[in-house]
Amino acid sequence: NGRITTEHLSVASLRDRSPCDLYAMENGLLDLPGWKRFKKAATRQKKLFRMANQAKLSSFRHSTKYMFGYEIPKNYFHALLLDKKNVTKWIDSIQLEIVQLHEYSTFKDQGLGATIPDGYRKITVHFVFAVKHDGRHKARLVAGGHLTLVPLDSVYSGVVSLRGLRIVIFLSELNDMSLWSTDVGNAYLESTTQELVCFTAGPEFGELAGHLLIIVKALYGLRSSGQRWHDRLYDALRDIGFTPSKAEADIWFKEVNGIYEYIAVYVDDLAIVSRDPKSIVDILENRYKFKFKGTGEISYHLGMDFFRDEDGTLCMAPKKYISKMLQNYERIYGGKPHLATSPIEKGDNPELDTSDFLGDDQIQIYQSLIGALQWAVSIGRFDIQTAVMTMSAFRAVPRIGHLDRVKRIFGYLAKMNEGTIRVRTEIPDYSDLPVPQYDWSRSVYGDTTEEVPLDAPKPLGKLVRFTHYVDANLMHDVLSGKSVTGILHIVNQTPIDWYSKKQATVETATYGSEFVAARTCVEHAIDLRNTFRYLGVPIEECNYMFGDNKSVVDSSITPYATLNKRHTILSFHRVRQAIAAGVIKFYHVPGQENPADVLSKHWGYSQVWELLRPLLFWHGDTSGCIDDG
């Protein structure tokens, strides 16, 4: 291009030049100020990438953040500045946090200018700020745990799965028990840390500013604090007679007067199912000195709103969470999303999008929006799961067209914001279904029976019936050729779990993809049966599974059916073995009546509304959906 001189063109000269120098020569950069300093970093690729990532991270950390309409401070001094503009909410929250830290005897004062004791490591502390859903401002002092040594043992506090939480909530309604929620205030400070760490107090500590403070309690941010709190709560619950379930270690249960009571633990958030939950809270408060807040009948828990319909049915809906998501969207884009009647257009293929790639700032926004949508799926909005699963595949390098589709999902939630899971405990009536008369004893499976855990607690309470709907969408991703499995699990009449995921293998025909989906559904069904067994719940002898591919259903339920497509042999035998054992009854249902359709493909409103309405958008008895049209 005319910018490389004659001396640069000798072979020997070029051979001795680094790629970095050649790039600089070609672009006329050698004489620019700062090149020599940049060259040292550029020739070390890992260091260069690390510096670029740190720069992006710094930009993200310094960007303005909001929660529920309030600007969030970046540090203590920023909190002071914000309070000068408004009121003293942030300063009040900081002072409250300091007072509580002293109440828990979190620190041991070594005095002004004290030397670090032998064996101790000096770290930093900082405040993390947040706004709760009810407008409360919260300041939390967090230790710089990244400055400490990595422990060899576990460092985590357990959390109940959201499926496990839904099961506990269902059991509270099934057996007519009360459902309370509560939050352990400053939970980590209930336990003593085993780490030897200290820090110098800042101006926020008032008269202790400049003092060397040894951290005594399991302060938030220390590597082992989660485990210390877990151990403290474990000992307390064990002491009052609760036992962790082998199906989910963070669901605790205890027999009381012929029924099981449950406590579902999500770090410091407890969901309590009991005839008298107040007595459990009182024991934990009085005997173990836990400080609870927000205690009472459940109304908001882990992003979910809880309320009762006009007929008294318990409802779970992420309304506040979705409202927060939409507020965040408006702050980002300066307006509300365009309303839509489906998450993604019917039959769309985002993998074929060829629009321009997003810039770094827009990629961060894309990833943030996807993360928010994934939690919305987890807490009840399974109608967007397939769309979110599809768009999540592009998180690393999304395009403009992908972002437009994610915006459409927000538009769908804005329009269909009343989606609610209703806890209906009535057992569905399947008396009109044909009873299979096949004899499997002389098949290849012989007299196979279900493997039942021998260490499960005795079943107490009312019986439950499992229903599973399964579907597959052949070649959902046209680039990879992979199909999608969609499954909806229902206990009695309550949606309890959902699944939408690309299959691991590429199937060349609908028969193969549907059999892979059926196998996955059977495995989930067995897992659900054992989970309920380990929670002491009486379950029916078999589960009911419905699919819309008649060939797969017929091949599954007929003992002497032959398999011509050998590559599906494992799925074929897994499904048939469960049927032979009497664990599963598999029935055909027309595609337009299969709610798993919502979880396997991109659909249109008119296509699925009659399936979706009784699951998420209907008040009262769902038989009225049919009568209504």
Side-chain angles (χ1 to χ4, degrees):
N1 59 12
R3 284 181 289 189
I4 300 180
T5 62
T6 306
E7 69 171 286
H8 295 143
L9 293 177
S10 69
V11 174
S13 174
L14 288 175
R15 186 187 300 121
D16 295 335
R17 296 283 185 177
S18 68
C20 189
D21 278 338
L22 294 174
Y23 175 83
M25 291 159 48
E26 186 176 343
N27 292 277
L29 303 176
L30 284 175
D31 297 327
L32 294 179
W35 171 252
K36 289 184 179 180
R37 182 171 63 87
F38 174 74
K39 176 186 174 183
K40 293 179 181 179
T43 53
R44 298 173 57 188
Q45 190 180 52
K46 289 184 178 179
K47 181 176 180 180
L48 179 62
F49 288 163
R50 185 167 64 248
M51 291 171 63
N53 288 332
Q54 287 173 347
K56 287 195 292 185
L57 217 73
S58 176
S59 174
F60 176 76
R61 288 170 179 161
H62 288 88
S63 61
T64 303
K65 297 179 179 62
Y66 295 87
M67 289 184 70
F68 294 101
Y70 294 91
E71 184 177 353
I72 304 300
K74 298 177 180 63
N75 51 47
Y76 170 70
F77 298 104
H78 189 205
L80 296 178
L81 183 63
L82 291 179
D83 276 358
K84 285 183 180 179
K85 298 179 183 178
N86 304 299
V87 291
T88 61
K89 286 188 174 183
W90 291 119
I91 299 304
D92 292 344
S93 67
I94 291 171
Q95 292 175 346
L96 176 62
E97 174 73 355
I98 296 294
V99 168
Q100 291 177 338
L101 290 170
H102 289 313
E103 287 178 354
Y104 281 91
S105 301
T106 307
F107 312 115
K108 186 183 295 184
D109 183 13
Q110 297 298 102
L112 188 66
T115 58
I116 302 174
D118 291 341
Y120 279 76
R121 179 182 292 263
K122 189 173 183 181
I123 63 172
T124 60
V125 297
H126 63 279
F127 277 97
V128 174
F129 300 92
V131 176
K132 299 296 185 180
H133 66 94
D134 55 4
R136 287 181 294 121
H137 287 48
K138 179 72 177 178
R140 174 81 72 190
L141 187 71
V142 176
H146 63 290
L147 299 174
T148 63
L149 298 177
V150 178
L152 297 179
D153 56 355
S154 173
V155 297
Y156 297 108
S157 179
V159 296
V160 63
S161 71
L162 291 173
R163 186 195 74 165
L165 177 62
R166 286 191 292 271
I167 291 173
V168 166
I169 292 166
F170 170 82
L171 294 177
S172 72
E173 291 294 288
L174 179 70
N175 294 313
D176 302 314
M177 290 191 284
S178 297
L179 175 61
W180 278 28
S181 65
T182 189
D183 180 8
V184 183
N186 294 298
Y188 283 13
L189 302 183
E190 294 285 351
S191 52
T192 302
T193 185
Q194 297 177 5
E195 299 184 49
L196 304 179
V197 286
C198 59
F199 69 97
T200 300
E204 60 270 29
F205 282 85
E207 61 184 18
L208 290 180
H211 287 224
L212 185 71
L213 303 181
I214 290 177
I215 301 176
V216 178
K217 294 297 181 71
L219 189 65
Y220 288 85
L222 293 179
R223 292 185 187 271
S224 63
S225 292
Q227 183 64 37
R228 299 286 79 77
W229 158 244
H230 177 271
D231 295 344
R232 173 91 164 91
L233 182 62
Y234 182 98
D235 292 340
L237 294 180
R238 274 283 195 186
D239 194 41
I240 64 175
F242 280 87
T243 302
S245 169
K246 289 186 177 179
E248 283 223 30
D250 290 289
I251 298 179
W252 296 72
F253 67 103
K254 177 176 74 169
E255 183 183 347
V256 178
N257 298 326
I259 200 71
Y260 290 113
E261 298 183 340
Y262 302 92
I263 299 177
V265 180
Y266 196 98
V267 187
D268 56 358
D269 292 309
L270 310 182
I272 304 173
V273 173
S274 170
R275 289 195 180 104
D276 183 15
K278 185 177 184 302
S279 64
I280 296 174
V281 173
D282 288 344
I283 292 174
L284 293 174
E285 278 186 328
N286 298 327
R287 187 184 302 178
Y288 303 96
K289 308 304 178 185
F290 290 160
K291 295 179 175 63
F292 290 110
K293 54 188 178 182
T295 304
E297 188 172 348
I298 196 167
S299 60
Y300 186 84
H301 195 67
L302 301 183
M304 290 177 283
D305 301 278
F306 292 84
F307 55 93
R308 291 192 180 273
D309 268 354
E310 297 82 357
D311 61 357
T313 302
L314 180 65
C315 302
M316 303 179 283
K319 292 185 177 180
K320 286 191 181 72
Y321 180 77
I322 290 175
S323 175
K324 174 187 171 183
M325 285 172 54
L326 295 174
Q327 289 174 15
N328 186 51
Y329 182 98
E330 290 184 44
R331 277 194 296 271
I332 294 172
Y333 294 109
K336 297 180 179 181
H338 296 293
L339 301 183
T341 56
S342 64
I344 288 183
E345 288 187 17
K346 180 181 177 181
D348 189 16
N349 293 107
E351 63 274 14
L352 299 181
D353 191 290
T354 57
S355 58
D356 292 339
F357 291 108
L358 296 176
D360 288 344
D361 293 341
Q362 290 296 303
I363 289 176
Q364 289 182 355
I365 292 174
Y366 185 92
Q367 294 169 342
S368 174
L369 296 178
I370 286 291
L373 289 169
Q374 287 174 329
W375 187 253
V377 171
S378 299
I379 58 179
R381 291 307 298 265
F382 57 83
D383 50 333
I384 65 171
Q385 184 172 16
T386 304
V388 175
M389 177 272 297
T390 301
M391 302 317 301
S392 297
F394 309 107
R395 281 175 298 180
V397 282
R399 298 177 182 270
I400 293 174
H402 297 148
L403 181 58
D404 290 339
R405 289 174 174 85
V406 170
K407 291 179 180 179
R408 180 187 171 97
I409 302 175
F410 275 78
Y412 171 78
L413 289 177
K415 182 173 180 61
M416 311 293 285
N417 60 358
E418 295 297 321
T420 302
I421 292 178
R422 291 168 173 83
V423 185
R424 299 183 172 106
T425 59
E426 302 83 3
I427 293 181
D429 182 11
Y430 294 142
S431 59
D432 59 339
L433 292 176
V435 179
Q437 300 295 330
Y438 298 113
D439 180 10
W440 290 85
S441 61
R442 292 182 176 85
S443 70
V444 295
Y445 311 105
D447 292 322
T448 183
T449 57
E450 181 182 11
E451 293 184 29
V452 178
L454 301 178
D455 55 347
K458 63 181 178 181
L460 299 174
K462 296 178 182 177
L463 188 76
V464 299
R465 172 175 288 174
F466 299 99
T467 304
H468 316 276
Y469 291 95
V470 60
D471 191 26
N473 183 30
L474 183 68
M475 203 174 175
H476 179 89
D477 186 323
V478 299
L479 290 184
S480 68
K482 290 185 177 181
S483 306
V484 162
T485 295
I487 303 172
L488 181 63
H489 302 287
I490 298 176
V491 181
N492 287 3
Q493 296 186 34
T494 303
I496 213 75
D497 200 17
W498 36 89
Y499 179 91
S500 181
K501 191 174 181 181
K502 289 180 187 177
Q503 297 179 358
T505 57
V506 176
E507 298 296 331
T508 58
T510 301
Y511 183 85
S513 65
E514 293 278 2
F515 240 126
V516 169
R519 183 206 69 215
T520 302
C521 187
V522 165
E523 291 168 348
H524 289 187
I526 293 172
D527 173 47
L528 270 173
R529 289 175 67 82
N530 287 329
T531 296
F532 273 76
R533 283 190 175 110
Y534 275 118
L535 291 173
V537 182
I539 65 174
E540 270 204 340
E541 183 180 351
C542 70
N543 294 16
Y544 292 83
M545 187 168 80
F546 297 88
D548 57 20
N549 189 289
K550 196 169 188 310
S551 296
V552 170
V553 174
D554 290 344
S555 295
S556 299
I557 66 176
T558 307
Y560 300 106
T562 57
L563 178 65
N564 296 319
K565 298 179 180 295
R566 308 302 298 178
H567 63 281
T568 63
I569 189 168
L570 293 180
S571 297
F572 178 82
H573 286 304
R574 186 69 186 94
V575 174
R576 285 164 56 83
Q577 192 273 339
I579 293 172
V583 177
I584 298 291
K585 289 182 179 178
F586 197 6
Y587 294 94
H588 174 255
V589 62
Q592 64 271 22
E593 298 177 15
N594 186 3
D597 209 45
V598 176
L599 292 157
S600 61
K601 55 181 66 70
H602 303 316
W603 41 264
Y605 173 84
S606 60
Q607 176 188 359
V608 305
W609 175 239
E610 293 305 319
L611 299 173
L612 203 53
R613 183 164 64 156
L615 294 169
L616 286 176
F617 298 98
W618 185 262
H619 296 252
D621 185 358
T622 52
S623 62
C625 293
I626 300 173
D627 299 337
D628 189 53

